[in-house]
Amino acid sequence: MTDHALLDAAPVPASVLGRGTATLQNAFAGLLEQPADGLLGLIALHRADPRPEKIDLGVGVFRNDAGATPVMRAVKEAEEILLGSQDTKSYLGAEGDVAYAELLAEIALGRALAGSERIVGVQTPGGTGALRLGAELLARARPQASVWIGNPTWPNHAPIFAEAGLSVKTHRFYDVARATIDFDGMVHDLAQAAPGDILLLHGCCHNPTGAALSNEEWQAIASLCADRGLIAFVDLAYQGLGDGLEEDAQATRMLFEALPAVILAYSCDKNFGLYRERVGALWVQAPGTQVAATVRGNMLSLARGIWSMPPDHGAAVVRTILEHPELRADWARELDEMRHRINLLRQTVAAQDSRLGFIARQRGMFAMLPVDGVAVAAMRRDNGIYMAGNGRINIAGLTAQNVPLFVAGLAPHI
Ligand code: PMP
């Protein structure tokens, strides 16, 4: 009888008892239950709330004045071009779309740095993929190193580095009560960092606080990295949504110019509105061209072991936009419009209550309110205002019409 005939003939057993059955029954016993994602829970609560005046400041996506997260005009046009011209879905390789990474490097790093032979880059699935690939690279290169992250930071930072096997340490960053960066506290804590440790920095539009280091403070960070031998790892996920495309990249470029070893994890998911397409890139500056080639080989071999190769569509859209001058100009224009909306909302909120003046001084989609979990729950219950439990709000979730309602709901709690 052939194997095939045997399979056809045998009745499918309800369970097969063997010496390993007990082991198999405990196959997943080592797993602990995981807490549900707080922001996803918030979406469900907001959806179920029947009040028409409810305000969703939870999830971190850009919204227009109608509360929508539209596909950008240039993205729609690029997708049409791709639909008409793409003639294969064959594999691209672990580095992804090479032209995408080259064109994007000019946006992120500027033309001079983008041409450097000491800088190597690959496409990644989103900024998250870039952070993870960078973390894996560091775990290979410096398994004993610690990664220093600020308090607070994007909640995914610590798990991304920890899952890669690096130890994560926290430095002071932001004083919520005073609504300012605690730069002295940051520098004081980083005195504990060992040579070869990694310092994670938000290139612009800090998530969750919106607080930005001054030029002098960025210079001091560069000196600190140079003096103490810290590897700067920049997370740039909101270029163009703070002060402008060029302005938002200044700190990153300065670090690349000042330091021999720097890492940049980049996301196109906000500034091209491509969230679900997962578009990112990782660049590493090595001290020399030979090391750069070794770094690149390791980035590719690590990528092959994690996702093999990144998804194509979103990066192909970004490449198409950057290849066509008129699409590129329209993308930059729409990004300007998005940024102006956010910054106008910041000013409108600040003008309503002098205690909220800090919101106008900060940049990007987020701000952190000086409120506790009790106040967050009360605003949800009494005013239909939804925000993360730590008081982080997505400014773009506001509209010109609902700012007074928001400030009135918040006022008793600050
Ligand atoms: N870094 C920061 C600071 C972010 O806020 C985000 C997205 N919320 C990312 C990285 C990851 O972006 P992506 O969606 O491209 O993975």
Side-chain angles (χ1 to χ4, degrees):
M1 223 191 303
T2 63
D3 284 355
H4 190 244
L6 188 70
L7 277 178
D8 278 345
V12 180
S15 71
V16 180
L17 287 178
R19 275 185 299 161
T21 301
T23 308
L24 293 177
Q25 242 133 23
N26 282 312
F28 305 111
L31 300 180
L32 301 174
E33 253 181 62
Q34 297 293 313
D37 184 311
L39 278 181
L40 296 184
L42 206 62
I43 297 176
L45 283 176
H46 177 263
R47 199 172 290 145
D49 188 334
R51 287 173 286 187
E53 72 280 11
K54 64 187 176 180
I55 304 175
D56 179 10
L57 308 178
V59 178
V61 295
F62 176 81
R63 292 185 199 280
N64 63 19
D65 221 38
T69 305
V71 180
M72 290 178 82
R73 298 182 298 256
V75 167
K76 274 283 183 211
E77 285 194 41
E79 288 184 315
E80 277 184 27
I81 293 174
L82 284 173
L83 193 64
S85 64
Q86 200 175 49
D87 51 14
T88 181
K89 295 282 185 190
S90 174
Y91 293 123
L92 274 178
E95 69 268 54
D97 187 324
V98 174
Y100 152 84
E102 284 175 5
L103 288 163
L104 191 64
E106 290 183 13
I107 303 271
L109 292 168
R111 213 162 257 163
L113 283 167
S116 164
E117 297 207 337
R118 291 196 293 116
I119 300 178
V120 287
V122 299
Q123 184 198 329
T124 58
T128 306
L131 287 162
R132 182 60 187 262
L133 188 61
E136 295 287 345
L137 186 79
L138 289 164
R140 234 186 216 184
R142 319 194 54 81
Q144 305 307 325
S146 295
V147 181
W148 291 81
I149 61 175
N151 180 25
T153 190
W154 183 45
N156 235 4
H157 278 146
I160 286 171
F161 288 99
E163 295 286 348
L166 292 163
S167 67
V168 176
K169 294 183 176 154
T170 305
H171 64 77
R172 275 170 281 179
F173 179 70
Y174 188 73
D175 183 335
V176 182
R178 287 169 44 230
T180 54
I181 290 176
D182 181 2
F183 193 69
D184 290 344
M186 177 175 178
V187 171
H188 184 268
D189 293 347
L190 287 172
Q192 304 299 314
D197 275 0
I198 298 117
L199 175 58
L200 184 84
L201 297 155
H202 297 229
C204 70
C205 304
H206 187 271
N207 179 7
T209 68
L213 294 165
S214 66
N215 287 343
E216 296 71 37
E217 287 167 338
W218 275 113
Q219 294 290 345
I221 293 289
S223 302
L224 188 134
C225 289
D227 285 345
R228 305 194 53 86
L230 304 183
I231 301 168
F233 190 142
V234 183
D235 180 357
L236 192 57
Y238 298 91
Q239 188 186 1
L241 288 164
D243 288 307
L245 275 172
E246 289 298 300
E247 293 83 345
D248 292 350
Q250 286 317 314
T252 304
R253 295 176 189 176
M254 183 276 291
L255 292 173
F256 270 77
E257 277 153 15
L259 299 164
V262 190
I263 299 180
L264 171 61
Y266 192 94
S267 172
C268 295
D269 290 325
K270 315 291 153 55
N271 57 1
F272 285 83
L274 281 164
Y275 312 89
R276 66 174 68 167
E277 301 293 356
R278 316 304 302 128
V279 196
L282 177 73
W283 284 281
V284 177
Q285 172 162 273
T289 51
Q290 244 175 346
V291 195
T294 307
V295 166
R296 183 178 152 76
N298 277 271
M299 284 159 81
L300 295 180
S301 84
L302 285 164
R304 276 195 295 274
I306 314 176
W307 50 70
S308 179
M309 51 194 78
D312 175 61
H313 180 71
V317 166
V318 170
R319 170 178 47 75
T320 306
I321 292 173
L322 297 180
E323 278 170 349
H324 290 75
E326 67 292 359
L327 291 190
R328 190 185 180 121
D330 190 53
W331 163 67
R333 234 183 341 264
E334 192 168 357
L335 184 60
D336 283 349
E337 290 161 19
M338 290 157 69
R339 180 179 68 253
H340 288 146
R341 172 175 148 69
I342 293 171
N343 288 340
L344 188 62
L345 282 165
R346 287 185 169 280
Q347 284 165 20
T348 313
V349 170
Q352 296 261 320
D353 189 320
S354 60
R355 293 171 299 174
L356 299 175
F358 66 93
I359 290 185
R361 292 192 295 276
Q362 298 172 345
R363 285 295 175 270
M365 295 222 293
F366 305 110
M368 208 157 150
L369 303 174
V371 291
D372 58 15
V374 177
V376 168
M379 282 186 270
R380 196 160 66 219
R381 185 187 61 232
D382 303 337
N383 311 94
I385 299 172
Y386 289 75
M387 68 184 74
N390 63 357
R392 186 196 84 163
I393 57 166
N394 173 12
I395 300 278
L398 293 166
T399 64
Q401 291 72 41
N402 69 21
V403 164
L405 268 179
F406 163 68
V407 175
L410 171 64
H413 302 286
I414 53 176

